Amino acid sequence: MIVKTLLDTDLYKFTTSYAYIKLFPYAMGTFSFNDRNETQYTEDFLKALKTEIKNLSQLRFTEEELEYMTKNCRFLPRVYWEWLSSFRFDPNKIDIHLDEACHLHIEVTDLLYKVTLYEVPLLAIVSEIKNRFFGNVADMNEILCKLSEKIELSNQHQLRFSEFGTRRRFSIDVQETVIKKLNETAHYCTGTSNCNFAMKYGMKMMGTHPHEWFMFHGAQFGYKHANYMALENWVNVYDGDLGIALSDTYTSGIFLSNLSRKQAKLFDGVRCDSGNEFEFIDKLVARYRELGIDATTKTIVFSNALDFTKALDIQEYCQNKIRCSFGIGTNLTNDTGFEPSNIVMKLTQCKMNVNQEWRECIKLSDDEGKHTGSLEEVQACLYELRLN
């Protein structure tokens, strides 16, 4: 059994789930799997995956976990964790098959506050089973040797980072080995996004909100207003907590042009998850200056496929301009010598209630060629935002 607890996921899944409950309790959505490498899978792989998915339905939120999360997440009320105690993953909600080209298809549809919880466990399971079936065996000594060099770089240069590697980890054992070592020796590791390992090793849980929150708002309220409304609604739920705003769902340029002075002052900073980090630093600092805000009081969290060498270059560029921190995932939990899985699960459609028609959800990336969604809807979004 790969995923053994409901807490073996990222904190932002719970914060987003609660935000849906609070503001959009009747909203529904579909999450769809995408393997960007177009890997060919086997029927035996599919059988093993279905077995693990069946195992997910056996998970129960324990009393010990409830008490821990209640105590350590003051921004989420106890009633949410008590609801989670009744939550069960439902394999019947998961449509899973191989097409004629042996490409894997996974779709999950349910109320948004439930369906959002499926993403991270399913990705972690696919990644681990894939490694198993491809005969990839991790060398723990080699992993720890590489990790020691990264930790030394962080300690030497006071490079602040969090572990963000649950979704595309090589395996749960590799992730735990990495986190245990980080906890023991990395002086500037600020925490982990994984709630289970945060609990097990006494680390801080890290995370705020994902692209799906903005994609939902774009589909329901229009792309021009999506960023503003998504941030306003986040504040309506969390009242200033979890104050790192995601900037690139509909390109960072659109985000910055729509960023109000109130939101710029209220949010502690922003997360940069695509595009050229150095250009983004200059643009964000300039936007803060326009709004009369001292950028050195704000923080950028960088999280786009980072390694420690690149993070160090970014930190040096940020000096005397703005604070910075880093969310590092695959480079920590899947730096094994084997090619990591390039897999995602995205919110692809949503509706505000059961009677509304489905609306497509899309994302515009700052990275070339990484827009997600149908060409027709992407073009409509680009037109609405005057980007084409």
Side-chain angles (χ1 to χ4, degrees):
M1 190 170 179
I2 294 173
V3 176
K4 303 179 181 70
T5 166
L6 289 175
L7 289 189
D8 187 12
T9 192
D10 290 332
L11 175 64
Y12 80 85
K13 291 279 85 177
F14 296 133
T15 57
T16 307
S17 168
Y18 177 67
Y20 287 134
I21 289 177
K22 184 98 171 178
L23 298 182
F24 309 109
Y26 303 107
M28 302 185 70
T30 298
F31 274 77
S32 303
F33 173 86
N34 181 26
D35 185 328
R36 290 168 173 160
N37 291 335
E38 296 190 346
T39 305
Q40 291 185 308
Y41 296 87
T42 65
E43 289 295 335
D44 286 341
F45 171 92
L46 189 65
K47 183 178 178 182
L49 180 56
K50 287 182 176 179
T51 298
E52 285 294 337
I53 286 172
K54 187 176 180 183
N55 289 338
L56 280 179
S57 66
Q58 307 303 313
L59 299 182
R60 304 288 186 272
F61 199 55
T62 68
E63 187 66 29
E64 181 186 8
E65 290 169 338
L66 186 152
E67 294 301 329
Y68 174 81
M69 297 304 285
T70 300
K71 183 179 179 182
N72 289 278
C73 288
R74 63 178 177 75
F75 40 80
L76 285 170
R78 183 182 179 90
V79 67
Y80 176 76
W81 305 115
E82 290 179 350
W83 167 76
L84 198 66
S85 300
S86 69
F87 173 77
R88 305 288 181 267
F89 286 111
D90 184 356
N92 295 321
K93 301 282 187 184
I94 306 172
D95 177 23
I96 175 170
H97 65 276
L98 298 179
D99 64 20
E100 292 179 357
C102 295
H103 295 147
L104 180 63
H105 294 263
I106 306 174
E107 278 197 348
V108 194
T109 300
D110 204 344
L111 292 162
L112 270 171
Y113 67 86
K114 294 180 181 180
V115 75
T116 190
L117 299 175
Y118 285 75
E119 175 195 357
V120 173
L122 286 176
L123 289 173
I125 288 169
V126 169
S127 180
E128 182 157 349
I129 297 178
K130 178 185 171 186
N131 284 314
R132 194 182 301 164
F133 271 79
F134 277 68
N136 300 337
V137 179
D139 183 333
M140 289 298 190
N141 289 327
E142 183 183 345
I143 289 169
L144 287 172
C145 184
K146 289 181 181 177
L147 182 61
S148 294
E149 294 176 1
K150 296 167 187 175
I151 291 171
E152 185 178 346
L153 195 67
S154 168
N155 287 346
Q156 182 181 347
H157 296 279
Q158 301 181 24
L159 184 75
R160 298 173 65 83
F161 70 96
S162 300
E163 184 276 324
F164 275 19
T166 302
R167 292 181 301 163
R168 289 187 283 266
R169 65 193 181 196
F170 183 91
S171 68
I172 188 171
D173 290 340
V174 167
Q175 185 180 20
E176 180 160 17
T177 298
V178 166
I179 286 177
K180 187 172 185 292
K181 182 73 170 178
L182 291 175
N183 194 43
E184 291 169 352
T185 62
H187 305 317
Y188 296 94
C189 177
T190 53
T192 173
S193 62
N194 187 291
C195 299
N196 175 50
F197 290 128
M199 178 178 174
K200 187 169 184 178
Y201 292 103
M203 299 171 74
K204 185 175 181 181
M205 289 175 283
M206 308 296 291
T208 55
H209 51 226
H211 293 106
E212 70 178 86
W213 183 248
F214 295 81
M215 292 163 74
F216 168 77
H217 282 77
Q220 293 298 325
F221 305 112
Y223 302 114
K224 276 186 179 178
H225 308 292
N227 284 317
Y228 181 82
M229 290 195 67
L231 293 183
E232 285 294 295
N233 278 332
W234 196 254
V235 172
N236 289 341
V237 176
Y238 289 111
D239 201 27
D241 278 325
L242 304 170
I244 298 294
L246 185 54
S247 64
D248 68 333
T249 309
Y250 300 111
T251 74
S252 58
I254 292 296
F255 174 88
L256 292 174
S257 66
N258 289 343
L259 185 64
S260 69
R261 189 169 187 274
K262 182 183 84 170
Q263 290 175 343
K265 288 181 73 68
L266 184 59
F267 278 83
D268 301 318
V270 301
R271 178 157 71 93
C272 175
D273 196 49
S274 64
N276 184 301
E277 289 87 354
F278 303 95
E279 291 178 4
F280 181 75
I281 293 163
D282 291 339
K283 289 176 181 177
L284 180 61
V285 170
R287 182 61 176 150
Y288 278 134
R289 190 180 299 119
E290 283 177 17
L291 296 170
I293 295 169
D294 180 1
T296 62
T297 66
K298 301 295 182 177
T299 300
I300 307 179
V301 178
F302 297 92
S303 59
N304 183 25
L306 293 171
D307 58 41
F308 281 76
T309 303
K310 183 175 181 181
L312 186 58
D313 290 340
I314 293 170
Q315 177 175 269
E316 289 176 357
Y317 193 77
C318 285
Q319 275 192 356
N320 302 318
K321 297 185 182 86
I322 194 166
R323 298 173 185 171
C324 64
S325 185
F326 302 89
I328 301 180
T330 306
N331 187 252
L332 284 171
T333 63
N334 208 337
D335 187 10
T336 59
F338 302 103
E339 184 181 4
S341 296
N342 192 0
I343 54 176
V344 294
M345 280 194 81
K346 294 293 185 186
L347 183 65
T348 51
Q349 61 177 6
C350 66
K351 54 184 178 179
M352 193 62 83
N353 56 61
V354 69
N355 297 316
Q356 190 189 62
E357 76 284 358
W358 287 104
R359 296 181 181 176
E360 185 181 355
C361 299
I362 66 164
K363 174 179 173 288
L364 305 183
S365 175
D366 285 336
D367 290 329
E368 194 77 25
K370 278 196 177 179
H371 297 342
T372 60
S374 71
L375 181 61
E376 182 182 26
E377 191 61 31
V378 167
Q379 289 296 328
C381 177
L382 290 169
Y383 178 77
E384 183 177 335
L385 297 175
R386 302 296 188 265
L387 292 175
N388 65 354

